[in-house]
Amino acid sequence: MIFDIYDYPLYRPPSEANSLIIQVTLGCSHNKCTFCNMYNEKKFKIKSIEQIKKEIDFFRHQRQFVRRIFLADGDALIIKTSTLLEIANYLNEKFPENERISIYASPKSLILKTPEELKKLKEIGIKLIYIGLESGDNEILTKVNKGNTAEEFMIGIKKAKEAGFQTSVTIIAGLAGKDKIASKNHALKTAYVIQETSPTYLGILCLSLLPNTILGKQAERKEFIEANGLEIIEEIKVIIENLSINIDSPIIIRANHISNYLNLQGTLPQDKNLILNEINHALNNGNPIKRASHNSL
Ligand code: SF4
C-alpha cells in the first residue's frame, strides 16, 4: 500500500506530477521560513539506506514504467554524497528505463558539496535541482528567515550549473508586502539574482498567507500588509522587464502554480514582449483572482 510508504504531507514541484516520488528525507532541514507550513508537523530526518532501498523495491513491483523520479522531502541534497550515489545507483539498477532523477536543494547543501561530488551526482543521473530562492533581496530573506543570503544562493546555483545540472529556481511575488518601495526592491534584486545565475527554469509563485505560519500571524496583527493581485502582477512585470537574458542561456518561465493570479509561460529572451503584453493586458483589464492559497510547489 502506497499509504504505508509515504509520510504525509508529501510535496513535489508541479513538473514532477507524473514522477515516481521516493521520500529519502522527511521534512525540511531548515524548517524556519516564516511563510511556510509545509513541514510544520515533521522533524527533519534522513531515512536509512536500507529503508530507502526497501521502498525502491516496493515501487518497482508496483510500477511497470517510470520515466522520472523525484527525491523528496525538502533539501534531499543535504544527504552525504556517498549515500546519494548509492541511492541513485540502486534506482538506475531497478529502473533502467528512468530518464531523470531530480531533487530539492538549498544553498547550504550545494555549498557543502565539492564540485567533484556534484559532478559525480550529475553523472549518475541526478539531472535537475530545484531551489527555492523566494527573493533576491537580503532584507526580505532575513525578514522571512530564509536562512541564506542572495549571495549564497548565487554561489549555490552557479555551482550546480557548473556541475552540469539543470536548475529550477522559484521566487515568490508579493513577499515584500504592499509597500511600493519594498516591492520594487524585491523585484529588482530578484531579477538581478536570476539574471546573474540564469537558471534553466524560473518558477514564479504568488504569496499566500497561511494562518498557521509566522507571516500569517504577522498579517493578523497588521505587521505585514498583503499586496493585492494587481500589485503582485505589477511586481512580476518589474521582474520580467529587468531580466536581460542572453539568447545562449535562455530561461523557461512558468507562473502556472495554483497560487498565481495570472498564468504565464514562455522562454526568455524571445518571449519577453509576449509575456509583458499579457501582463499589461491583465493590469488594464483584470480583477485578478487566484485559484488557491499555497506557497509550496
Ligand atoms: S520554504 Fe523551503 S526551506 Fe523554507 S521552511 Fe519551507 S521547505 Fe524549508
Side-chain angles (χ1 to χ4, degrees):
M1 285 281 293
I2 288 185
F3 284 91
D4 294 331
I5 294 269
Y6 288 133
D7 189 311
Y8 291 93
L10 181 66
Y11 296 96
R12 47 98 191 128
S15 46
E16 302 290 340
N18 298 317
S19 305
L20 168 63
I21 302 177
I22 305 286
Q23 213 170 14
V24 293
T25 63
L26 297 182
C28 162
S29 60
H30 177 57
N31 216 12
K32 290 183 185 135
C33 299
T34 63
F35 56 86
C36 173
N37 67 356
M38 283 166 74
Y39 301 115
N40 275 4
E41 308 298 320
K42 289 187 190 178
K43 192 167 162 15
F44 182 71
K45 180 186 157 191
I46 297 171
K47 285 188 185 170
S48 71
I49 187 71
E50 293 76 25
Q51 177 65 25
I52 294 167
K53 284 185 177 177
K54 253 193 237 165
E55 294 181 15
I56 293 171
D57 290 342
F58 169 85
F59 286 116
R60 178 67 287 182
H61 284 119
Q62 272 223 331
R63 304 274 284 260
Q64 281 198 327
F65 183 82
V66 167
R67 199 166 70 88
R68 289 181 173 178
I69 295 173
F70 177 68
L71 302 181
D73 282 341
D75 198 12
L77 195 77
I78 202 82
I79 295 175
K80 68 178 181 185
T81 304
S82 56
T83 309
L84 274 175
L85 288 170
E86 195 173 341
I87 294 168
N89 209 19
Y90 199 66
L91 285 169
N92 291 343
E93 190 187 313
K94 296 290 171 183
F95 295 97
E97 76 277 21
N98 179 52
E99 293 169 9
R100 178 180 96 182
I101 302 172
S102 51
I103 192 165
Y104 278 135
S106 65
K108 184 180 169 193
S109 59
L110 283 163
I111 290 168
L112 281 174
K113 297 229 175 329
T114 66
E116 292 70 35
E117 286 178 307
L118 290 173
K119 273 194 191 121
K120 278 187 195 162
L121 292 168
K122 164 70 180 41
E123 277 158 18
I124 205 159
I126 300 180
K127 293 186 180 162
L128 173 62
I129 291 189
Y130 292 93
I131 302 157
L133 165 67
E134 333 302 7
S135 175
D137 184 350
N138 279 330
E139 210 170 298
I140 293 181
L141 291 174
T142 304
K143 271 190 190 157
V144 302
N145 207 8
K146 185 68 196 172
N148 288 108
T149 63
E151 293 71 26
E152 287 166 336
F153 273 104
M154 289 203 275
I155 292 169
I157 299 166
K158 284 181 184 172
K159 210 170 160 186
K161 282 186 66 178
E162 277 159 21
F165 293 104
Q166 290 192 315
T167 49
S168 180
V169 172
T170 307
I171 58 173
I172 303 181
L175 200 54
K178 204 173 180 66
D179 183 272
K180 280 195 174 15
I181 295 171
S183 164
K184 192 157 188 191
N185 283 341
H186 171 47
L188 292 177
K189 291 180 181 180
T190 302
Y192 174 76
V193 172
I194 297 301
Q195 180 159 316
E196 285 299 297
T197 52
S198 196
T200 323
Y201 302 98
L202 170 64
I204 305 176
L205 314 184
C206 295
L207 178 70
S208 297
L209 283 174
L210 306 172
N212 53 347
T213 57
I214 294 171
L215 191 62
K217 293 198 173 86
Q218 287 170 343
E220 280 168 21
R221 296 193 298 266
K222 308 277 186 252
E223 293 163 13
F224 178 87
I225 311 295
E226 193 176 11
N228 64 35
L230 285 173
E231 288 162 336
I232 287 180
I233 294 172
E234 187 70 52
E235 190 176 280
I236 294 173
K237 180 180 170 184
V238 178
I239 295 172
I240 304 290
E241 277 176 340
N242 283 279
L243 283 173
S244 298
I245 302 302
N246 195 316
I247 191 89
D248 301 327
S249 45
I251 301 181
I252 298 167
I253 294 192
R254 294 181 185 135
N256 56 358
H257 182 258
I258 50 169
S259 70
N260 286 99
Y261 289 96
L262 176 65
N263 262 359
L264 296 169
Q265 289 196 59
T267 303
L268 293 185
Q270 58 264 43
D271 296 332
K272 184 168 179 171
N273 286 338
L274 204 73
I275 294 173
L276 286 173
N277 286 344
E278 281 185 46
I279 291 176
N280 285 330
H281 181 76
L283 287 173
N284 293 333
N285 301 294
N287 177 20
I289 298 171
K290 57 167 81 179
R291 282 177 288 154
S293 290
H294 221 287
N295 287 326
S296 59
L297 292 172

